[in-house]
Amino acid sequence: VLSDEVYSQMLYDGEFASVASHDGLLERTVLLDGLSKTYAMTGWRCGFAAVPEPLVDPLVRFFVNSTSCVPPFVQLAGVAALTGPQEEPLAMIEEFRARRQLIVAGLNELPGVSCRMPRGAFYAFPNVSQLPIAPDELADRLLEEAGVAVLAGSSFGRFGHDNLRLSYANSREKLTQALERMRGFLEAL
Ligand SMILES: Cc1ncc(COP(=O)(O)O)c(C=O)c1O
């Protein structure tokens, strides 16, 4: 099992349970995580994996011969993030909780848009199937005509064909502005 658990700390309700915590799965799971989300260190390009023992040597060989290593100062920054005070990431989750509330409520007030409350990460995935234009075109036109960058849900597989994906990793002020622009665009359709 390859399990990308990069959002494991970004939960709004309940407790995170790794797939590796289930019986018999620890020794069969490659668990991926990184600093990009919890510590907002996307640009540092540092991730890590917990792997079953037999994979350690081949993976070390692979990384030594492909990237050599993560630059030492980035490794030190990673250690500082993981072992230092955790108040900042915890406060950030609370800020994301407020942004989530704002964006989901705002999307649900738009004509033809309905959005469920996400339980983790920082993305809203509204259903826009009631609108007269398809999500792919809608995403392009929102960017070109309203200056709002969203992705078409089809980028995330066949279950996303009726959706858009919006990141709410942005200020409440900007999110409010984006919602206003979307309203203006949709009302003019
Ligand atoms: C599920 C998931 N995994 C991994 C990543 C990327 O992480 P990184 O910046 O460490 O490449 C993202 C970023 O969008 C993500 O959504």
Side-chain angles (χ1 to χ4, degrees):
V1 178
L2 177 65
S3 183
D4 177 349
E5 301 187 359
V6 78
Y7 293 112
S8 62
Q9 306 302 309
M10 291 211 158
L11 279 192
Y12 304 106
D13 320 294
E15 296 264 301
F16 181 77
S18 170
V19 71
S21 66
H22 294 277
D23 277 353
L25 278 171
L26 183 61
E27 51 281 18
R28 290 201 281 145
T29 301
V30 169
L31 194 158
L32 301 176
D33 203 337
L35 304 173
S36 293
K37 311 297 174 186
T38 310
Y39 300 102
M41 289 171 67
T42 319
W44 295 70
R45 310 308 309 133
C46 186
F48 47 91
V51 303
E53 181 78 38
L55 283 180
V56 173
D57 277 348
L59 280 175
V60 168
R61 220 177 308 133
F62 172 75
F63 285 114
V64 164
N65 290 292
S66 57
T67 60
S68 294
C69 71
V70 173
F73 70 92
V74 173
Q75 295 187 42
L76 292 173
V79 170
L82 291 166
T83 59
Q86 300 297 308
E87 286 82 9
E88 288 293 327
L90 290 174
M92 201 59 220
I93 300 292
E94 292 315 307
E95 173 58 25
F96 276 127
R97 190 189 296 279
R99 293 176 184 181
R100 173 181 77 140
Q101 190 61 42
L102 184 156
I103 196 156
V104 171
L107 286 167
N108 279 319
E109 281 169 13
L110 296 178
V113 178
S114 77
C115 187
R116 292 187 186 172
M117 193 61 86
R119 293 170 62 195
F122 43 68
Y123 306 100
F125 205 59
N127 182 304
V128 291
S129 58
Q130 299 307 308
L131 293 176
I133 46 179
D136 286 29
E137 184 189 343
L138 180 60
D140 286 348
R141 289 186 58 187
L142 280 172
L143 180 63
E144 296 296 333
E145 298 172 36
V148 180
V150 304
L151 288 177
S154 54
S155 309
F156 302 91
R158 65 194 164 94
F159 294 111
H161 279 299
D162 288 335
N163 302 73
L164 293 180
R165 193 202 73 165
L166 291 85
S167 162
Y168 52 90
N170 213 319
S171 66
R172 291 190 231 179
E173 192 187 355
K174 289 250 172 67
L175 295 174
T176 304
Q177 197 181 13
L179 287 164
E180 280 164 9
R181 290 183 183 188
M182 288 176 79
R183 172 174 292 284
F185 175 84
L186 293 176
E187 286 179 350
L189 274 183

